[in-house]
Amino acid sequence: MGGAVPDHDRVAAVPDQDARSGLIDALSGLHLQGALFLHGMYTEGWAYRSSPVEDIAALMAPGARSLLLFHLISEGRCWVTVGDGERHWAEAGDVVVLPYGDVHTMGGSKDAVVVDVETLITPPPDDEMPYIQHGEGGARTHVVCGYMRCDAPLFDPQFRAFPPVFVVRPDEPAAGWVRASIDYAAGQVARDQAGTFQAPTVLPELLLREVLTMHLASAPAGERGFVRALNDPLVAHAMGLIHAAPERKWTVADLAGLGNVSVSLLDERFRRELGMAPIRYLTGWRMHLAQDLLTSTDLGLVAIARRIGYESEEAFSRAFKRLYGESPSVWRVRR
C-alpha cells in the first residue's frame, strides 16, 4: 500500500489566503441540527470507551444516517483515539471532532483501565444533563460532549472527507471566541442554580461551523471548492479513495479506473471543481493530514511520513517545506 511520492508530485496545493470567507459561505448553507448531551469531570487516572454511534443516534436523533460527535475541552488535558489509531491530544480550549461518530477511547495522562462509558452514566432527573464523575482523584479534566446531524455529502462516511478524529486548536483571534463558547457551554451544563435544564442548540451549531472552517481552511482547495466538489459524484468518489488510503501510491489511472471513467474526464472534473489536477490534490491532502498529526499527536516524522504515503522522512520533509516554507520539525515546534 505504501509508496514514494511520484516525481510529478512537485507543486503542492497551497491554501488560499482567504479560504475562510469562502468556507464560511459554503458551510453556512448546510442544515445542521444538534445539541450538547453529556458532560463529565474526570480525574487522573481515567479512561473510557464510547458507545456505538447507532446507540447514541437512537436516543438523540432517531432516523439519522450518521452523527458527528464532538468534545469541548473546558479544563485539563486528555487524549482520544479511534480503533488502533494514534492518540490525539487535546487541552483546555480545544475541540475534538469525530465526524462519523466512530467508537473511540478517551483518557488522561496517567495509565488507567478502560471502562465502557455506559457503566459510568447514572440516569439523571428529567431537568438535568447526564453527568459523569470518574477517575482516581488526581488532576481534573472537564469535557462537554455534543452531537450534530447533517445529511450533506460532507458528512457521508463513504467519502471520508475528514479523518476519523481530529483536534482543532484555534489560533487567535478565533481562540478567544472558541474558549468563551466552551466556557459558556460548560456553565450551562454544570450550573448549580435551580431551574429547568435546556441544552443549548444554537451555540453548538455556530461553534461547529467555526471549527470546521478552521480545519478545512488548510485542506486543498479549501475555499468553497472542497465542499462543493463533494456534491459531484465522480470527483467525490475519487476524493473518497484518496481520503481512505492517502498512503497508497495513487495514479490518475488508478483513480479513474476505480470510478469507471476516463483519465481525461476525471482530470477535467477535478480542475473544474477543485481548480487542480488529481495528483496535486493528493499532495495537498497528505499535507493537510500531516498538519493534523504534527499538531495533535506524538508520532515521529518517520511514522507520519509513512502514514501519508512517503517512504522516507527526507522526502516528506522536502514536500512539506516546499508548501509551508519550513521543515515539519520546525513547524511542529512553532505550533
Side-chain angles (χ1 to χ4, degrees):
M1 293 289 288
V5 175
D7 289 340
H8 56 261
D9 192 9
R10 286 285 180 185
V11 182
V14 179
D16 192 296
Q17 293 301 309
D18 194 32
R20 285 181 56 86
S21 61
L23 278 168
I24 289 171
D25 290 342
L27 292 172
S28 65
L30 298 178
H31 182 56
L32 300 174
Q33 288 182 312
L36 306 176
F37 69 92
L38 175 72
H39 71 124
M41 184 64 74
Y42 308 102
T43 57
E44 296 289 353
W46 63 276
Y48 76 80
R49 183 182 300 104
S50 73
S51 303
V53 69
E54 294 81 7
D55 293 351
I56 300 174
L59 290 172
M60 302 295 169
R65 292 186 297 177
S66 62
L67 287 184
L68 177 152
L69 302 179
F70 60 91
H71 301 294
L72 312 177
I73 313 303
S74 174
E75 177 184 358
R77 185 171 186 261
C78 63
W79 55 263
V80 59
T81 184
V82 171
D84 296 327
E86 59 278 350
R87 290 184 175 185
H88 291 256
W89 287 90
E91 55 194 39
D94 291 349
V95 182
V96 178
V97 182
L98 295 117
Y100 312 108
D102 294 313
V103 172
H104 56 282
T105 305
M106 293 187 72
S109 299
K110 294 178 62 177
D111 290 337
V113 175
V114 178
V115 299
D116 290 330
V117 71
E118 293 93 341
T119 66
L120 304 176
I121 300 175
T122 302
D126 292 338
D127 61 351
E128 294 181 12
M129 174 179 286
Y131 178 56
I132 293 174
Q133 286 184 297
H134 176 60
E136 300 174 0
R140 305 194 315 174
T141 298
H142 185 205
V143 181
V144 181
C145 307
Y147 76 91
M148 199 68 63
R149 64 179 294 183
C150 182
D151 293 331
L154 182 64
F155 301 103
D156 190 328
Q158 70 173 317
F159 298 139
R160 290 280 159 175
F162 302 100
V165 57
F166 60 89
V167 177
V168 176
R169 186 162 295 153
D171 291 329
E172 297 294 348
W177 183 83
V178 171
R179 282 195 298 268
S181 298
I182 292 175
D183 291 343
Y184 176 78
Q188 289 293 98
V189 301
R191 68 188 189 282
D192 56 6
Q193 68 257 31
T196 301
F197 168 77
Q198 292 183 340
T201 56
V202 175
L203 175 61
E205 178 182 338
L206 294 175
L207 184 60
L208 257 294
R209 290 187 193 277
E210 179 65 19
V211 165
L212 294 176
T213 298
M214 287 186 281
H215 179 72
L216 289 177
S218 65
E223 186 180 2
R224 188 183 295 269
F226 185 93
V227 179
R228 185 181 64 192
L230 288 168
N231 290 293
D232 182 311
L234 190 157
V235 176
H237 181 263
M239 291 171 68
L241 294 172
I242 290 171
H243 297 167
E247 76 283 358
R248 180 168 170 174
K249 191 176 181 179
W250 290 107
T251 67
V252 183
D254 292 335
L255 296 169
L258 290 171
N260 295 315
V261 298
S262 68
V263 169
S264 60
L265 178 59
L266 181 63
D267 184 79
E268 185 275 327
R269 294 284 275 275
F270 257 79
R271 293 177 186 275
R272 186 185 75 186
E273 300 295 342
L274 291 164
M276 63 187 70
I279 296 301
R280 189 175 178 217
Y281 176 81
L282 169 63
T283 305
W285 185 252
R286 285 170 168 167
M287 295 299 103
H288 176 65
L289 295 179
Q291 283 190 322
D292 178 53
L293 295 171
L294 288 166
T295 302
S296 65
T297 77
D298 297 326
L299 288 177
L301 296 186
V302 173
I304 293 175
R306 292 175 177 170
R307 184 68 55 87
I308 63 173
Y310 292 83
E311 287 186 333
S312 69
E313 177 186 340
E314 292 76 14
F316 163 52
S317 294
R318 286 196 300 270
F320 192 94
K321 190 171 184 177
R322 280 198 300 269
L323 180 57
Y324 300 112
E326 57 190 0
S327 69
S329 57
V330 171
W331 188 90
R332 171 178 256 175
V333 170
R334 186 172 58 81
R335 296 284 290 187

